[in-house]
Amino acid sequence: MGRTLAEKVWDEHVVRSVDGEPDLLFIDLHLIHEVTSPQAFDGLRLAGRRVRRPDLTLATEDHNVPTIDWDKPIADPISRTQVETLRKNCEEFGVRLHSLGDIEQGIVHVVGPQLGLTQPGMTIVCGDSHTSTHGAFGAIAHGIGTSEVEHVLATQTLPQARPKTMAVTVNGSLPEGVTAKDLILYLITQTGTGGGQGYIVEYRGEAIRELSMEGRMTVCNMSIEWGAKAGMIAPDEVTYAYLKDRPESPKGAEWDTAVAHWRTLVTDDDAVFDREIVIDAADVTPWVTWGTNPGQGAPLGGSVPAPTDFDDEIDRVAAENALRYMALEAGTPLRDVRVDTVFVGSCTNGRLEDLRTAAEVIKGHRVADGTRMLVVPGSARVRLEAEAEGLDLVFKEAGAEWRGAGCSMCLGMNADTLAPGERSASTSNRNFEGRQGKGGRTHLVSVPVAVATAVRGTLSSPADLAPAAAR
Amino acid sequence: MEKFTTHTGVGVPLRRSDVDTDQIIPAEYLKRVARTGFEDGLFAAWRNDPSFVLNNPAYAVGSVLVAGPNFGTGSSREHAVWALQNYGFKAVLSPRFGDIFRGNSGKAGLLAGRVDEKVVQRLWDYLEAHPGAAVTVDLESRTVTAGEGPDRIEDSFDIDDYTRWRLLEGLDDIGITLGHEADIAAFEATRPGWKPATQKVG
Ligand code: SF4
């Protein structure tokens, strides 16, 4: 019988397999950052262990770094300690680190791909759940906890129970103006936040093949939001074109060898998935969340649902709690919801392509009075490339704030947070209570919807904007 | 890691589904570089609410948390497990856990047992009717028990065999894996040379 993509990659990494025990998998790339690693390095020190493969380990500063005055010492002393601890640990254990001020500094899931370190057929882990992003290249990539970070540092392996496999096939093409973000938000609403649990999901079908690498990363990124262990997309010409000539991608004859191998990384025709979901791309429209988990979403053209719309008692109670927290009335058209802050950024939508889209939508418009808009590039390189194209000027002219690279308001760990009761439209991935700041209310949206919302001050799509004044 | 065989302690009914890791411990509490002291961040947003279950003195000393489905979804932060442990929790029961949270619990020594949704409902009702009542989780027999007489609840919980074994023995994963050093070295010797490296070492 044939094998799925996930099974092929898995099988290539089994160091040891014994009945009744998880497989021991070799890890090709271990990414680390300041928040989930200090206790792991401490563990190594206590046990007198070293980092087994510093050459397969890469660190960057992202979760807790400032996005203004990032060229000055970090103001908050506790945050500074955390970043300095990472620097000391990397120095002591010989790990390559991209610090603030370095062109490769940025969100770990933006940095791996832009360096060309993320390649098809790899196993990639990081102490961050959105490691699933890297699956867009046909890698098995998933988040791990700090105990596992320590395990990988010490052994370059991870004991893992073999997950089940699922195929999500998206037939047809996404309608004009509908993005990868809308697609994944739609899928999570359809399946619920537990829908992917226990599975490595392979996204396939025409609409997936038509996505850019950036769009594929957006889809795989949010696999975790519907509970999946990881998301993957088989590599193809789009993948190879993205990787060609990146700093760390194979060169010369090694490139040809690598591509020849990557071409084998597709699900065989006779392979069987444990579960299959088929969706029609034509059904996807601009999508926004109204609640406090990513499965509580609706079409932008719709309205806030009523708890009584849900048959299941647990869903009904969850909807009641969510509406109370979000201060929303059932039946309100989503387009009438006023937004205070718009955040464009994060590992979901903080790449150059996203910033280009954002600039295109806002050009000739202004951010609405009473609304603020933050644009936070995913990495320092993305920031510099955007500036070289003049995108920063477009944002500033429109009245938006242009920031330094980092996770920023995605998790509200640095100074970029929502005030209590403040409402955001955010291109990030989580709308949990307080995620972007205590008492903050988050609507997850695509980049075009975020920008149109900034211009109108209420949830909107570019189609709602009057033609730009002077372009 | 300490061995876990059985534990009896005050049960805490957390009548909520989809308790994500940002609820268990918000990001602002994640700045510590040690493994202790996270109890202040546990359920931080809810602790200000006088009606929150842990603000009731009868439940404040709780050590067995009974939660609705999708507990621990979201972020990979193991701080969520440490916050529960630092507070005093030894076990969490829920019909469904976030994958990474469940994995982290097993590594850190917090028992995360999957129970039927009906059992959660019965435990909630019982614990709310008897604040401060004890719940026993027995890892050996994989059972959860509470109450006496006609009120008695006795049911099984699910935990995978390997995690159960490691918890029962109190085994550290890294030690086990380092015992397979020869396998790892043999694997490394066969890795293709074109696979990427972050730096040249040695
Ligand atoms: S941008 Fe947000 S989701 Fe992505 S790694 Fe940073 S905190 Fe996590």
Side-chain angles (χ1 to χ4, degrees):
Chain A
M1 196 177 71
R3 290 178 302 161
T4 63
L5 164 62
E7 287 161 345
K8 288 182 183 180
V9 179
W10 187 281
D11 291 345
E12 276 181 17
H13 291 85
V14 175
V15 169
R16 183 173 183 276
S17 182
V18 176
D19 264 357
E21 284 182 31
D23 286 350
L24 191 64
L25 285 194
F26 192 81
I27 302 303
D28 287 322
L29 179 63
H30 184 195
L31 301 165
I32 59 181
H33 62 85
E34 73 275 21
V35 176
T36 56
S37 67
Q39 296 84 357
F41 281 111
D42 256 1
L44 289 187
R45 249 189 307 268
L46 275 174
R49 290 170 180 149
R50 63 193 174 101
V51 173
R52 182 185 178 92
R53 295 296 299 267
D55 60 327
L56 302 183
T57 312
L58 183 79
T60 179
E61 299 166 1
D62 57 4
H63 279 65
N64 195 9
V65 296
T67 58
I68 41 175
D69 293 337
W70 40 266
D71 45 351
K72 306 200 176 71
I74 301 176
D76 171 20
I78 316 177
S79 300
R80 192 168 62 230
T81 304
Q82 196 165 52
V83 171
E84 280 168 0
T85 303
L86 178 70
R87 292 177 187 171
K88 278 208 305 270
N89 284 332
C90 287
E91 164 107 47
E92 178 182 342
F93 289 93
V95 172
R96 169 172 160 191
L97 167 69
H98 293 297
S99 279
L100 273 179
D102 179 327
I103 186 169
E104 305 299 350
Q105 175 268 334
I107 306 172
V108 62
H109 313 309
V110 175
V111 170
Q114 84 183 14
L115 280 170
L117 275 172
T118 299
Q119 297 173 15
M122 292 173 70
T123 46
I124 301 176
V125 296
C126 173
D128 184 277
S129 56
H130 292 100
T131 309
S132 59
T133 312
H134 306 261
F137 291 80
I140 291 182
H142 58 86
I144 56 178
T146 300
S147 294
E148 291 171 313
V149 170
E150 184 181 340
H151 192 285
V152 177
L153 287 172
T155 70
Q156 202 59 33
T157 64
L158 205 56
Q160 288 285 297
R162 192 181 266 265
K164 294 174 287 183
T165 58
M166 190 197 305
V168 171
T169 306
V170 190
N171 288 326
S173 298
L174 289 173
E176 182 73 28
V178 175
T179 66
K181 181 67 165 285
D182 301 305
L183 170 62
I184 188 69
L185 286 173
Y186 168 85
L187 179 65
I188 299 166
T189 301
Q190 303 306 315
T191 52
T193 50
Q197 212 191 11
Y199 293 97
I200 293 186
V201 175
E202 181 182 340
Y203 302 96
R204 5 172 40 201
E206 195 183 341
I208 299 293
R209 295 262 76 92
E210 287 173 359
L211 292 176
S212 63
M213 278 321 292
E214 288 78 0
R216 294 178 187 186
M217 285 190 254
T218 303
V219 170
C220 288
N221 174 275
M222 290 195 68
S223 300
I224 187 77
E225 267 60 57
W226 62 299
K229 167 93 180 167
M232 303 179 87
I233 293 172
D236 60 9
E237 298 309 321
V238 176
T239 321
Y240 312 142
Y242 178 98
L243 281 173
K244 187 93 176 98
D245 299 326
R246 298 257 160 194
E248 307 291 352
S249 56
K251 305 286 175 326
E254 289 201 332
W255 171 261
D256 299 331
T257 313
V259 172
H261 178 65
W262 296 342
R263 287 190 195 285
T264 67
L265 299 177
V266 289
T267 293
D268 296 327
D269 289 339
D270 56 343
V272 180
F273 290 92
D274 296 301
R275 193 179 162 203
E276 294 204 47
I277 293 180
V278 178
I279 57 180
D280 191 346
D283 293 342
V284 186
T285 67
W287 211 259
V288 303
T289 61
W290 48 266
T292 53
N293 75 54
Q296 292 174 320
L300 172 66
S303 31
V304 177
T308 46
D309 295 350
F310 299 91
D311 298 333
D312 182 80
E313 183 184 333
I314 286 187
D315 290 344
R316 196 159 53 236
V317 174
E320 266 166 29
N321 286 333
L323 293 187
R324 193 175 323 116
Y325 182 85
M326 295 293 288
L328 290 173
E329 287 282 343
T332 309
L334 284 161
R335 276 196 165 85
D336 290 353
V337 175
R338 269 211 69 79
V339 165
D340 309 298
T341 294
V342 169
F343 172 62
V344 175
S346 88
C347 59
T348 316
N349 281 125
R351 288 170 287 267
L352 186 60
E353 182 185 270
D354 300 303
L355 301 188
R356 284 180 181 151
T357 304
E360 188 151 317
V361 176
I362 205 159
K363 199 161 190 190
H365 294 285
R366 279 200 64 80
V367 175
D369 286 343
T371 301
R372 68 170 167 157
M373 174 172 164
L374 255 70
V375 186
V376 183
S379 70
R381 182 177 288 281
V382 169
R383 178 174 60 81
L384 292 168
E385 287 175 355
E387 288 175 359
E389 294 181 14
L391 305 186
D392 56 325
L393 299 178
V394 176
F395 294 125
K396 287 185 206 158
E397 250 165 56
E401 294 176 40
W402 176 248
R403 296 295 188 90
C407 294
S408 178
M409 197 177 268
C410 174
L411 88 165
M413 190 164 178
N414 67 1
D416 308 341
T417 55
L418 296 180
E422 214 182 317
R423 186 181 298 281
S424 80
S426 177
T427 66
S428 58
N429 44 47
R430 287 191 175 140
N431 54 345
F432 299 153
E433 287 182 21
R435 166 76 176 183
Q436 298 189 293
K438 203 170 186 171
R441 302 175 174 132
T442 303
H443 296 273
L444 300 177
V445 296
S446 70
V447 171
V449 169
V451 178
T453 299
V455 172
R456 298 209 342 142
T458 53
L459 291 173
S460 305
S461 79
D464 301 326
L465 301 184
R471 296 191 76 132
Chain B
M1 201 162 79
E2 260 178 64
K3 291 186 184 186
F4 192 119
T5 46
T6 179
H7 170 78
T8 300
V10 168
V12 178
L14 183 65
R15 223 178 240 279
R16 292 193 71 128
S17 64
D18 293 286
V19 177
D20 54 72
T21 47
D22 280 79
Q23 258 51 76
I24 301 174
I25 185 163
E28 59 180 298
Y29 291 92
L30 306 184
K31 298 180 184 179
R32 304 175 61 85
V33 294
R35 215 171 172 126
T36 52
F38 290 101
E39 62 274 17
D40 293 344
L42 180 69
F43 301 128
W46 298 338
R47 293 269 279 280
N48 296 324
D49 171 1
S51 69
F52 180 59
V53 61
L54 286 183
N55 289 329
N56 179 335
Y59 299 117
V61 294
S63 59
V64 179
L65 187 69
V66 185
N70 297 325
F71 187 85
T73 49
S75 141
S76 66
R77 57 187 73 158
E78 196 162 318
H79 312 67
V81 173
W82 302 334
L84 286 161
Q85 289 181 314
N86 294 165
Y87 183 90
F89 283 104
K90 305 281 185 228
V92 185
L93 302 172
S94 162
R96 194 158 62 224
F97 291 97
D99 266 337
I100 306 178
F101 177 86
R102 191 162 43 82
N104 288 344
S105 298
K107 313 276 172 193
L110 176 75
L111 187 149
R114 277 184 304 255
V115 289
D116 199 83
E117 225 164 280
K118 287 195 206 76
V119 177
V120 167
Q121 286 289 355
R122 287 180 60 206
L123 283 168
W124 281 346
D125 294 344
Y126 171 75
L127 292 171
E128 281 169 2
H130 304 89
V135 175
T136 298
V137 276
D138 185 332
L139 183 56
E140 210 113 40
S141 61
R142 285 185 243 224
T143 50
V144 48
T145 47
E148 275 165 18
D151 278 351
R152 184 172 164 80
I153 299 162
E154 176 163 1
D155 218 294
S156 59
F157 65 82
D158 235 23
I159 188 165
D160 68 88
D161 294 337
Y162 186 71
T163 303
R164 172 175 171 269
W165 168 73
R166 280 189 31 260
L167 286 172
L168 285 172
E169 301 291 328
L171 284 176
D172 159 22
D173 247 6
I174 300 180
I176 300 175
T177 300
L178 286 174
H180 306 313
E181 165 63 34
D183 293 329
I184 302 173
F187 184 93
E188 285 175 326
T190 65
R191 283 183 83 233
W194 51 263
K195 287 249 181 178
T198 57
Q199 59 178 322
K200 286 206 168 53
V201 185

